[in-house]
Amino acid sequence: MRAFLAIELNDYVIENILKTQQVLDENSTSRLKHVERENMHLTVKFFGDINERKLKQIKRIINETIESYKPYTMKVAGVGAFANIKHPKTIWTTVKDKEKNTINLIRNLDDKFADIGFKKERSYKPHITISRVKQLNDAQNLSKTLSDMKGNYYGKVDVNKIVLKSSTLTPDGPIYKNEEEFIL
């Protein structure tokens, strides 16, 4: 099973992200591939293909780790890009919370997943991918549009669970399925 761990978004935040995708389309001649509504989430950890033994280890680690977390609220705001705003390849929005629960949760899980053989992340920048640049036709125009949206606010997400999802790749894009929810 090809799997990853995610925090799901609420409809309000998703609707606001969809509006940003629309603005990107209206103000850019670049060819963008937007993340579909049903696929929007914050990735906590991408595992890739895993077998049953790894799945059991992952579930055990998640259950042990989330015992020390309580539900919290994170804000979804801002727009940025990897590699950077002047040369965007992936367009994202970021998440923040007062006690840094999101980044601490990701870091704690990543440390424990490394103990069972998963590659440790180089850095922790929690983000929600909203679009991928397939063809950059006017970098200056797209860069200006992204800069104008840096202050966008998308809403709050009450985080009370994380979800283990499977991903099936198709020619039309990935299809995600919830495999198991872990309640904080």
Side-chain angles (χ1 to χ4, degrees):
M1 171 174 78
R2 186 172 189 264
F4 64 95
L5 194 58
I7 294 173
E8 295 183 320
L9 308 176
N10 59 46
D11 288 337
Y12 180 80
V13 169
I14 290 171
E15 285 300 323
N16 286 326
I17 291 172
L18 292 172
K19 290 174 188 171
T20 290
Q21 291 175 335
Q22 188 175 357
V23 170
L24 288 169
D25 284 341
E26 291 167 357
N27 293 290
S28 174
T29 60
S30 295
R31 191 164 57 87
L32 305 174
K33 168 77 169 96
H34 299 307
V35 174
E36 296 83 2
R37 159 189 263 290
E38 64 273 10
N39 289 348
M40 287 186 193
H41 65 274
L42 181 139
T43 301
V44 173
K45 180 71 175 177
F46 178 76
F47 300 110
D49 288 316
I50 57 172
N51 60 29
E52 275 300 313
R53 188 171 75 62
K54 277 285 190 221
L55 180 60
K56 285 180 184 172
Q57 291 175 318
I58 289 167
K59 288 179 180 182
R60 178 185 50 77
I61 287 170
I62 294 168
N63 281 317
E64 289 171 1
T65 304
I66 65 171
E67 283 179 1
S68 61
Y69 286 86
K70 293 184 174 8
Y72 66 95
T73 301
M74 67 181 186
K75 292 180 181 179
V76 181
V79 172
F82 299 130
N84 58 54
I85 284 206
K86 292 196 187 298
H87 303 285
K89 294 191 184 310
T90 302
I91 300 168
W92 47 262
T93 183
T94 192
V95 301
K96 294 177 183 157
D97 61 87
K98 285 182 185 172
E99 281 81 41
K100 299 188 178 180
N101 288 309
T102 305
I103 200 153
N104 290 333
L105 177 64
I106 292 171
R107 185 177 285 131
N108 289 341
L109 285 166
D110 193 48
D111 286 345
K112 293 175 183 173
F113 292 141
D115 292 342
I116 61 168
F118 289 100
K119 186 178 177 186
K120 222 166 148 35
E121 300 297 326
R122 286 191 317 239
S123 66
Y124 303 98
K125 183 163 179 92
H127 67 279
I128 299 158
T129 299
I130 60 176
S131 302
R132 289 179 177 78
V133 180
K134 293 300 182 183
Q135 184 177 340
L136 186 58
N137 296 327
D138 185 352
Q140 188 174 9
N141 186 38
L142 183 55
S143 176
K144 181 184 179 330
T145 302
L146 293 173
S147 291
D148 290 347
M149 293 190 294
K150 272 188 170 181
N152 281 14
Y153 177 73
Y154 297 99
K156 295 179 181 177
V157 175
D158 291 326
V159 180
N160 53 25
K161 66 181 176 181
I162 54 177
V163 182
L164 182 66
K165 294 178 173 269
S166 61
S167 171
T168 303
L169 299 178
T170 73
D172 295 326
I175 298 171
Y176 300 151
K177 178 182 171 200
N178 288 3
E179 297 294 334
E180 189 165 340
E181 294 182 352
F182 299 85
I183 307 300
L184 299 182

